[in-house]
Amino acid sequence: MILDMFSLKGKVAIVTGSNTGLGQGISKAFVEAGAKVLGVSRSPSDDTLKMLGEENFSYITADLSSLDPIDTIINTAVEKYGRLDILVNNAGIIKREDSIDFSVENWDVVMNTNCRTLFFLSQAAAKQFMKQKSGGKIIAIASMLSYQGGIRVPSYTASKSAVKGITMTMANEWAKYGINVNAIAPGYMATNNTQALRSDADRSAAILERIPAGRWGTPDDLMGAAVFLASSASDYVNGFTLAVDGGWLAR
Ligand code: NAP
């Protein structure tokens, strides 16, 4: 039956940035679809744990601006749940500063977190999928700034444009192992990431006016796309970045 293709029953997922926002919503979606989820967060994911229950969700804390935690993350999922089927690279940061003054520090921390760790964590997950001979699903969280330039966020735009590109590279190389690599490009979502924009009355009004759906997105809006790309319903979808944006890019 078609809805069975969307089931994640028996699947094990890693979701980074699971303590809040979109990562919390994706963790909830996966548990509702039947998966066990290991969250990875810088701040403890206690709210998510409370929401989803310890039989379905556990977490470790890690700083993903460095590559150091990668082996621990993969090993913890495999030791705790016996296997790995899905990785969602959701953790990400944004630094806002005029390009003319943009600091090396704000460049490096964003590129390292949003792009460098995302690639090497994906590589480690793919090695685990290959060892299991099971195939697997890797989902990156991209952005509207995978397509557009943005304002005052050069390292974020660089990182998210790179995410869209390397999603295709990884998909091309690993499809033959049954590994699907895709991305979701959220539009403007009401989370901590956009707090500064939403607090700026002029920017907020300009953004809202441009969204055909007429509202900011929410973590719940991403749940369907995340489950689709994590499930066998997307087995022939490779290297695509799916916008969930209330029509922003269509405008
Ligand atoms: P958020 O509420 O700020 O969440 C960001 C998540 O990333 C948090 O869990 C955060 O942990 C984690 N994180 C950041 N740096 C980390 C690090 N060094 N190590 C470990 N975890 C780290 O924003 P969000 O909107 O849910 O963002 C999730 C993803 O969606 C990001 O990749 C973001 O770029 C992307 N995105 C968001 C929007 C939007 O409109 N909100 C649009 C497009 C794309 P802490 O809370 O502990 O910092």
Side-chain angles (χ1 to χ4, degrees):
M1 294 292 283
I2 179 61
L3 289 183
D4 294 339
M5 294 183 79
F6 291 83
S7 171
L8 300 182
K9 201 153 185 276
K11 303 289 185 188
V12 176
I14 292 171
V15 178
T16 68
S18 54
N19 58 309
T20 185
L22 305 182
Q24 187 176 63
I26 292 167
S27 299
K28 179 173 156 233
F30 285 0
V31 167
E32 287 184 12
K36 304 289 183 204
V37 176
L38 176 74
V40 182
S41 55
R42 187 167 47 175
S43 315
S45 286
D46 290 328
D47 290 347
T48 312
L49 179 61
K50 210 167 145 194
M51 181 192 292
L52 302 179
E54 61 186 24
E55 65 282 11
N56 300 313
F57 179 85
S58 59
Y59 74 87
I60 56 173
T61 53
D63 180 357
L64 295 172
S65 63
S66 133
L67 302 181
D68 295 345
I70 287 178
D71 287 347
T72 305
I73 294 168
I74 303 289
N75 292 340
T76 304
V78 173
E79 276 161 26
K80 188 161 177 63
Y81 298 115
R83 55 183 293 110
L84 180 65
D85 303 288
I86 302 157
L87 167 68
V88 180
N89 284 298
N90 163 76
I93 50 167
I94 190 162
K95 294 288 181 186
R96 299 177 195 279
E97 191 180 10
D98 289 344
S99 290
I100 200 73
D101 296 320
F102 208 80
S103 66
V104 172
E105 191 189 17
N106 280 348
W107 181 271
D108 286 344
V109 71
V110 171
M111 290 298 283
N112 286 346
T113 309
N114 295 8
C115 185
R116 186 168 181 259
T117 299
L118 175 146
F119 174 74
F120 286 102
L121 186 54
S122 301
Q123 183 193 64
K127 284 182 178 168
Q128 178 62 30
F129 299 152
M130 289 175 198
K131 197 161 110 188
Q132 294 172 184
K133 297 190 179 5
S134 59
K137 304 278 182 175
I138 298 175
I139 303 168
I141 302 302
S143 167
M144 295 295 94
L145 301 191
S146 304
Y147 299 90
Q148 301 176 317
I151 298 169
R152 304 183 70 246
V153 288
S155 58
Y156 188 79
T157 303
S159 70
K160 295 298 186 177
S161 298
V163 163
K164 180 169 172 286
I166 57 177
T167 292
M168 294 187 282
T169 306
M170 293 187 281
N172 291 341
E173 293 190 37
W174 300 339
K176 60 178 174 283
Y177 302 106
I179 300 171
N180 299 76
V181 189
N182 291 290
I184 298 171
Y188 285 82
M189 319 297 278
T191 66
N192 299 335
N193 175 288
T194 52
Q195 185 60 53
L197 283 182
R198 284 177 294 119
S199 308
D200 178 334
D202 292 341
R203 286 297 308 281
S204 180
I207 287 166
L208 256 186
E209 193 276 327
R210 217 207 106 133
I211 301 172
R215 64 171 178 85
W216 289 76
T218 68
D220 282 4
D221 286 316
L222 239 50
M223 290 172 71
V227 170
F228 168 60
L229 291 178
S231 69
S232 62
S234 62
D235 279 352
Y236 202 59
V237 180
N238 299 80
F240 194 67
T241 296
L242 172 63
V244 179
D245 66 350
W248 175 274
L249 287 181
R251 187 82 185 255

